[in-house]
Amino acid sequence: MATHLILASNNRAKLAELERLLAPLGIAVQSQAELGIAEADEPHASFLENALAKARHAAAASGLPAIADDSGLCVAVLGGAPGVGSAHYAALEAPAGVDRETRRALQDAANNRRLLEALRGTRDRRASFVSTLVALRHAGDPEPLVAVGRWPGEILDAPRGDGGFGYDPLVWIAALGRSVAELGAAQKNALSHRALAARDMLALMREHWRP
């Protein structure tokens, strides 16, 4: 069993989520940024292809097992958009000199505005958060572990809640009567698309990566 994984992402929120979700296996997760590894290109049309490319990049650069998540919001009436382009759905001209986290917050707000505009006057608001996790023992691993989680909801007419990140304020979970941004961290981690994918990944690691 791997005891140390490189996360092929520089997203601090994603790192924190995966650290908690993989804790039952005693696996330490370290961001590739801590090793000075640049983010990989994500030129592909599917979450699976992009996650695999990112995991291979991180494993090759670090010489360690790696895990990558490619995730996003898929809106039914938009044919799955924003999809793999969720993080940069809207064009953004951020002020010069802003730090990474501020830029990310500005991008999230711009993405949400664009999505609301795209759905203006649309009654079909069905959407799903989708997460695809890929784990590799090494860059040339011929048997990557793949887990997919889907968390269905509906797009609100306006943001609600201050928690989470990305599209969380716009995604309404009817069964809970709240937006994702109104959920506590523990509840979100138990129910989210990434949590569902992580549970499947835990089972796959136990089965295929056991000592």
Side-chain angles (χ1 to χ4, degrees), residues 17-91:
E17 276 193 287
L18 284 174
E19 282 179 329
R20 288 190 293 267
L21 293 168
L22 293 176
L25 286 183
I27 295 176
V29 185
Q30 182 179 18
S31 169
Q32 64 183 8
E34 296 178 45
L35 300 180
I37 300 172
E39 292 190 342
D41 292 332
E42 302 176 43
H44 303 293
S46 73
F47 296 121
L48 174 58
E49 291 169 298
N50 283 331
L52 182 57
K54 290 190 286 187
R56 280 179 174 157
H57 172 78
S62 68
L64 294 167
I67 188 167
D69 160 75
D70 201 49
S71 57
L73 181 69
C74 295
V75 180
V77 76
L78 299 180
V84 297
S86 292
H88 301 284
Y89 187 44

Side-chain angles (χ1 to χ4, degrees), residues 95-167:
V98 299
D99 60 45
R100 182 180 183 84
E101 293 305 311
T102 300
R103 179 180 292 273
R104 190 179 297 278
L106 291 171
Q107 182 69 67
D108 287 348
N111 291 341
N112 287 343
R113 288 193 298 271
R114 182 181 176 189
L115 180 59
L116 289 176
E117 182 61 32
L119 293 176
R120 186 186 298 273
T122 302
R123 297 182 63 184
D124 184 353
R125 316 288 284 197
R126 291 172 300 142
S128 291
F129 277 124
V130 179
S131 170
T132 298
L133 283 172
V134 172
L136 300 173
R137 292 165 290 192
H138 52 83
D141 193 343
E143 189 184 16
L145 302 183
V146 179
V148 179
R150 292 179 176 84
W151 194 15
E154 299 177 1
I155 304 301
L156 293 164
D157 293 325
R160 286 185 53 169
D162 300 318
F165 58 93
Y167 298 93

Side-chain angles (χ1 to χ4, degrees), residues 196-209:
L196 295 172
R199 285 185 200 126
D200 284 349
M201 181 59 73
L202 288 176
L204 289 170
M205 286 180 170
R206 286 192 175 106
E207 180 180 358
H208 298 287
W209 286 13

Side-chain angles (χ1 to χ4, degrees), residues 175-198:
L176 302 176
R178 296 180 181 180
S179 74
V180 175
E182 293 175 312
L183 302 179
Q187 189 173 25
K188 178 183 175 183
N189 287 338
L191 300 173
S192 75
H193 52 308
R194 195 168 290 115
L196 295 172

